[in-house]
Amino acid sequence: MPALPLDELQFTERDSLTGKTKTLPALHPGKKTERSFVPYKPPPKSRDPALLEEFLERAKFVADDLDWLLALPHDRFWCQVIFDEKLQKCLDSYLSHAPRKFDAVADLPPEVNDLQRHLHRSVFLTFLRMSTHKESKDHFITPSVFGEILYNNFLFDIPKILDLCVLFGKGNSALLHKMIENIFTQQPSYYSDLDETVPTILQVFSNILQTCGLRSEGASATPQKLEERIRMTPGDSPLQELKDIVLYLCDTSITLWAFLDVFPKACNTFQKHDFCYRLAAFYELLVPELESAIRKRQHEDSSLLSDLWRRLFHSRKKMVEVFHMIVNQLCLQPILETSCDYIQPYIEEFLQVFTSVLQERRFLRDYDELFPVADDVSLLQQASSALDETRTAYILQAVESAWEGVDRKKKTAQDLPLQEGATGASEMVQASSTMDLEGLGQEDFLECAGAAATPTARVSGVELDSLITQVKDLLPDLGEGFVLACLEEYDYSVEQVINNILEDKLVASLEQLDRSMPRPVKPDPTPLVTARCNVFQNDEFDIFSNNSVDMSRVQKGKRRDKVTTKSLLDDKRLVAQQRERYSQYSVVVEEETVEPSDAGLFYQNDYEDEYDDTYDGNQVGANDADSDDELISRRPFTIPQVLRSKEQEEEEDEDEEEAEPNEKEAAKQDHFVQDPAVLRERAEARRLTFLARKGHKPEHSAAIAGSAKGHGQSRETVQDRRKKEANKGVRANHNRRAMADRKRSKGMIPS
């Protein structure tokens, strides 16, 4: 009997409460095992014992849990994967925080590295098993159901797939390709998700440009908002911000390269959004700015700058290779695999892609250096006889014009082996050294490149003299200058220099040199005094820039005039300074005697206009009754109780007793707000009096309620209940018409 897929299997179990057997599907939450999967944290950046112990303990828990998961049978494994949210959080934390190949890792103990490798392998095997719908002929899942399980339970998504490629792509490319291809084959909805992810990646490019204060062509059409803050360029931004930009660029470019390298079929989805043109424009705007920013900071942290220089070159190489992957997958590879009758659309796509990026001169140079455009055009010419020669010639001419003014030295991508580690960009530095040394001397470049520089940076002094001597021992007729030029051309390889000279295979630039050329004399280094530059330059004490220095401001040793309390009190300089200011107050007088002869001069500056005496006869306030309340508003005088006599105390007690009744009477007379309880009692008394006049007896609510149930009821209670039952229709809602007629008769309701 053939085995059924896991999604159709069922199992029976006995209910622990009812004891009845029930049938459940094989993929059921009840088969999930409760287990605490802890999130992953990366290894510490230092060799702190406490941090290492914490990492080892946490990583051991995660590794043991994943080993237990991988050992589960097929049905229990899928129940655990589908219904355990803690497991998914654990796997997501590893994909997010696991160190990448290009990250700088500290020198950690061997046990930490071994545990990290074991955990890395367990996570990869877990995702490998999750992406496999058929483990054996007896254990499998229906492909369509498998795709729905992956998609609906978010076991895989595009960000996870990108992280898987960048983490496990090197060394596991074939397995990873099968994994991702199976996921996309069984669930085509992932293609639509990828199509929605590409605009997000392009937005990442725009965000990087915006952070660097650059604007792409698409953004230049929109005016800048008034409230928008003007961002600094990378050259003006702090070093830490520049580091973040380079690291973010490196992570983005390597992740894209790893994904397209593992799953080339995604190139079609990327190119739907004109990805090649956007990538080239992004490269053209950002890369020169970042290189210029790093070169300007030659006097800052050299180790950090060399690391940024390597990462920038590595990012450049990956972006160029991403462009080539898309062109190769969409144009070149189909041309090689398709017959001559059906290759015209692919040729047209190739010409359109390169025509769109011809204005990006820097990108064209870097691409042509790794993947010569002339070789691709030659392939098109061999594949099709109907190739548009005008367009191809225009493209080749644009590439040649991009190299104008730049020393051209091509190296193919095969000459540059891919390395993902910290020194993986050194080959890119070697390949791009000629085009990146524009306006920058070799010494400055080596200072920026640091450990990523080519071997020529380490050959100098005695070692260089030794290499020249080795060549001259075999070829003594050559001049030292010519030998030095040959060594520089062939990366200081003595064997290659001797072989090319003997076989007459020197490059054209060396053939034109004089073979007896002497070694150039090195100019004297710049004097230290004129070359120095520090924070004290050109200040008042700089004797190298100033001829005269105020020696009174120079103190040698400790000052002897120590400041004490007595010296501060004896210092009367401030008093002398303020004496003149306060002496001016003595000239102010209240009255000044004026002689009659000088009266005219004294009042000559007074106001001489006609004086308005209309109201001078009015005595304002003269007849008002003076009130002393405003002037002497104070508490009346009282004799203290201690000083009072006995008679005075008795008189005051009598006054207080008389005042209390008056207060009570005043309180009775104040009916502005009365107690609602008192008002209700009075209303109830009036109602009972009115009913008594009418002959109604008061209701005995207590008698109607009676005693508790089961204790019997009194005669009075039984009578009152019978009377209430008989007459209950008289009140409540049973006489609404009569009451309405009564209201209408009294004019309350308009008729």
Side-chain angles (χ1 to χ4, degrees):
M1 180 178 180
L4 293 176
L6 182 61
D7 53 281
E8 297 179 6
L9 286 178
Q10 295 181 346
F11 69 98
T12 58
E13 67 174 7
R14 186 177 299 277
D15 193 351
S16 58
L17 298 178
T18 61
K20 297 181 180 180
T21 58
K22 55 182 179 179
T23 303
L24 298 174
L27 296 175
H28 191 269
K31 297 188 67 176
K32 181 191 70 172
T33 304
E34 293 296 334
R35 194 176 182 94
S36 297
F37 291 88
V38 297
Y40 168 83
K41 289 187 178 180
K45 297 182 179 180
S46 61
R47 297 177 66 93
D48 187 3
L51 297 178
L52 291 176
E53 183 180 357
E54 179 186 1
F55 169 77
L56 288 173
E57 183 178 5
R58 180 180 290 270
K60 188 69 169 59
F61 285 148
V62 177
D64 293 341
D65 291 339
L66 293 181
D67 292 340
W68 169 83
L69 178 68
L70 292 172
L72 290 178
H74 186 250
D75 55 341
R76 291 186 58 195
F77 172 83
W78 279 103
C79 290
Q80 198 74 28
V81 167
I82 295 173
F83 302 112
D84 195 343
E85 296 182 0
K86 293 182 179 179
L87 171 61
Q88 295 303 322
K89 291 181 179 179
C90 174
L91 295 175
D92 291 349
S93 65
Y94 185 85
L95 294 181
S96 301
H97 303 293
R100 271 57 174 168
K101 296 292 184 180
F102 52 87
D103 287 341
V105 182
D107 186 15
L108 299 175
E111 58 268 21
V112 175
N113 295 328
D114 294 339
L115 184 57
Q116 177 66 24
R117 282 193 293 268
H118 175 70
L119 186 59
H120 193 74
R121 181 177 182 274
S122 299
V123 172
F124 177 72
L125 292 178
T126 302
F127 279 106
L128 180 62
R129 192 175 183 184
M130 288 168 56
S131 62
T132 305
H133 68 281
K134 184 176 182 180
E135 294 185 6
S136 64
K137 63 179 182 179
D138 297 328
H139 302 94
F140 61 95
I141 304 175
T142 305
S144 59
V145 178
F146 172 77
E148 295 297 326
I149 290 174
L150 295 184
Y151 196 76
N152 295 335
N153 295 282
F154 300 97
L155 300 185
F156 287 95
D157 52 28
I158 300 302
K160 286 184 181 179
I161 293 174
L162 293 175
D163 288 334
L164 286 172
C165 291
V166 76
L167 283 173
F168 306 104
K170 186 177 182 181
N172 304 287
S173 181
L175 277 177
L176 202 58
H177 174 74
K178 291 183 179 180
M179 286 172 52
I180 299 176
E181 188 175 29
N182 188 45
I183 292 170
F184 277 82
T185 301
Q186 306 305 333
Q187 182 52 268
S189 298
Y190 282 109
Y191 280 106
S192 60
D193 289 355
L194 179 62
D195 188 63
E196 295 175 0
T197 305
V198 175
T200 306
I201 298 174
L202 296 176
Q203 184 61 39
V204 169
F205 291 167
S206 300
N207 293 341
I208 295 176
L209 292 176
Q210 185 178 3
T211 304
C212 297
L214 305 173
R215 295 173 66 88
S216 58
E217 292 184 3
S220 61
T222 59
Q224 184 178 0
K225 298 180 180 179
L226 294 176
E227 65 272 13
E228 184 178 352
R229 183 172 62 90
I230 300 177
R231 297 183 178 272
M232 294 186 296
T233 60
D236 301 329
S237 59
L239 183 59
Q240 183 61 37
E241 187 174 348
L242 176 63
K243 175 185 176 183
D244 294 340
I245 294 173
V246 174
L247 292 180
Y248 191 42
L249 174 65
C250 185
D251 188 17
T252 304
S253 57
I254 292 179
T255 302
L256 286 176
W257 174 86
F259 175 66
L260 294 180
D261 182 64
V262 172
F263 190 60
K265 292 183 179 179
C267 294
N268 293 306
T269 306
F270 275 74
Q271 189 55 21
K272 288 180 182 178
H273 299 268
D274 205 9
F275 189 81
C276 287
Y277 168 73
R278 298 288 297 275
L279 179 63
F282 170 75
Y283 185 100
E284 186 75 15
L285 285 172
L286 184 66
V287 169
E289 286 289 334
L290 292 180
E291 289 181 347
S292 176
I294 295 176
R295 286 173 177 144
K296 288 180 181 179
R297 303 172 184 268
Q298 298 177 13
H299 302 290
E300 298 186 26
D301 188 358
S302 59
S303 60
L304 177 59
L305 290 176
S306 64
D307 182 67
L308 296 182
W309 189 262
R310 292 196 301 269
R311 292 179 185 275
L312 179 58
F313 272 108
H314 203 45
S315 305
R316 288 177 49 201
K317 184 185 178 199
K318 294 306 176 186
M319 286 190 285
V320 171
E321 289 182 353
V322 166
F323 186 96
H324 178 70
M325 286 178 183
I326 297 177
V327 172
N328 184 69
Q329 181 68 21
L330 299 183
C331 307
L332 302 180
Q333 198 67 27
I335 290 175
L336 296 176
E337 298 174 355
T338 311
S339 61
C340 298
D341 299 332
Y342 304 97
I343 63 173
Q344 195 60 34
Y346 305 114
I347 295 177
E348 183 65 23
E349 179 71 15
F350 177 88
L351 297 177
Q352 288 182 359
V353 168
F354 274 91
T355 304
S356 64
V357 300
L358 290 183
Q359 70 273 17
E360 318 298 348
R361 297 170 59 86
R362 176 62 186 277
F363 176 80
L364 273 182
R365 290 203 306 267
D366 293 359
Y367 180 88
D368 187 59
E369 184 176 17
L370 288 179
F371 310 98
V373 180
D375 295 347
D376 297 338
V377 173
S378 176
L379 175 64
L380 300 182
Q381 293 173 346
Q382 297 175 11
S384 174
S385 58
L387 183 64
D388 190 352
E389 296 294 335
T390 304
R391 297 177 65 183
T392 56
Y394 178 75
I395 292 174
L396 292 177
Q397 184 179 0
V399 173
E400 292 295 330
S401 64
W403 282 100
E404 291 179 1
V406 181
D407 194 9
R408 188 168 186 173
K409 180 180 178 182
K410 292 187 179 181
K411 289 191 178 182
T412 60
Q414 289 76 15
D415 299 332
L416 303 175
L418 176 63
Q419 294 186 9
E420 294 285 345
T423 60
S426 59
E427 291 81 3
M428 185 63 184
V429 176
Q430 181 179 359
S432 306
S433 59
T434 55
M435 62 181 175
D436 289 315
L437 293 179
E438 305 172 58
L440 184 68
Q442 183 71 15
E443 296 177 359
D444 295 336
F445 167 73
L446 297 178
E447 182 176 356
C448 291
T454 57
T456 59
R458 297 189 296 269
V459 179
S460 61
V462 179
E463 186 178 0
L464 181 60
D465 295 338
S466 176
L467 296 178
I468 296 176
T469 304
Q470 294 180 28
V471 177
K472 287 183 64 64
D473 289 343
L474 294 177
L475 303 170
D477 56 324
L478 300 179
E480 290 188 2
F482 179 76
V483 175
L484 179 60
C486 294
L487 289 173
E488 291 176 353
E489 177 68 25
Y490 295 108
D491 297 335
Y492 294 89
S493 174
V494 176
E495 294 80 4
Q496 191 173 2
V497 168
I498 296 174
N499 181 70
N500 290 337
I501 292 176
L502 294 177
E503 295 184 1
D504 200 12
K505 292 183 179 180
L506 295 175
V507 296
S509 58
L510 295 178
E511 288 287 354
Q512 299 174 0
L513 296 179
D514 183 10
R515 298 204 172 196
S516 60
M517 180 177 62
R519 186 175 181 177
V521 180
K522 291 184 179 180
D524 294 335
T526 307
L528 181 61
V529 174
T530 58
R532 70 186 245 296
C533 183
N534 53 42
V535 296
F536 304 108
Q537 191 171 4
N538 297 326
D539 64 0
E540 58 179 323
F541 300 111
D542 189 1
I543 61 174
F544 298 105
S545 59
N546 296 335
N547 295 329
S548 60
V549 178
D550 187 5
M551 299 302 297
S552 62
R553 301 198 54 192
V554 178
Q555 173 66 33
K556 188 179 295 184
K558 294 184 178 179
R559 292 186 180 273
R560 297 182 179 180
D561 50 343
K562 295 184 178 179
V563 179
T564 60
T565 306
K566 186 176 183 305
S567 63
L568 291 176
L569 294 176
D570 294 341
D571 188 4
K572 304 299 182 182
R573 288 179 297 177
L574 182 61
V575 176
Q577 294 174 3
Q578 299 297 331
R579 180 177 288 112
E580 181 181 356
R581 175 182 298 179
Y582 285 99
S583 63
Q584 297 177 4
Y585 292 105
S586 62
V587 301
V588 180
V589 294
E590 296 181 358
E591 296 181 359
E592 185 176 353
T593 305
V594 181
E595 296 295 334
S597 60
D598 299 336
L601 297 174
F602 186 80
Y603 294 107
Q604 64 181 357
N605 294 328
D606 286 359
Y607 185 70
E608 297 179 357
D609 200 358
E610 181 182 357
Y611 179 71
D612 187 5
D613 55 354
T614 305
Y615 300 100
D616 283 357
N618 296 346
Q619 297 182 1
V620 179
N623 300 324
D624 294 347
D626 293 336
S627 175
D628 60 347
D629 294 341
E630 299 177 357
L631 302 176
I632 51 173
S633 57
R634 54 183 296 181
R635 184 169 59 87
F637 177 75
T638 56
I639 301 175
Q641 190 173 0
V642 180
L643 303 177
R644 295 178 187 173
S645 62
K646 186 175 182 181
E647 298 173 355
Q648 292 175 340
E649 291 181 359
E650 292 177 355
E651 292 177 359
E652 289 186 1
D653 292 341
E654 292 176 0
D655 295 340
E656 290 178 359
E657 291 176 359
E658 293 177 357
E660 287 179 359
N662 295 334
E663 292 177 358
K664 292 181 180 178
E665 292 177 1
K668 290 180 181 178
Q669 295 176 1
D670 187 11
H671 297 295
F672 181 69
V673 178
Q674 296 188 11
D675 187 3
V678 176
L679 295 178
R680 286 195 295 269
E681 291 177 0
R682 293 176 184 174
E684 183 64 21
R686 288 195 300 269
R687 190 180 70 84
L688 293 177
T689 304
F690 175 77
L691 292 177
R693 288 188 197 143
K694 296 289 185 178
H696 293 284
K697 294 182 179 180
E699 296 179 357
H700 302 286
S701 59
I704 294 175
S707 58
K709 186 177 181 181
H711 295 276
Q713 305 295 339
S714 64
R715 179 182 177 184
E716 186 180 3
T717 301
V718 175
Q719 289 179 355
D720 290 344
R721 288 181 178 177
R722 187 183 301 114
K723 187 183 298 184
K724 179 180 179 181
E725 180 68 23
N727 300 322
K728 66 180 181 180
V730 178
R731 289 178 295 276
N733 271 339
H734 298 278
N735 54 353
R736 287 180 295 180
R737 186 179 296 276
M739 297 304 296
D741 294 340
R742 181 182 177 185
K743 289 182 179 180
R744 187 178 293 106
S745 66
K746 292 186 177 182
M748 299 177 67
I749 301 176
S751 57

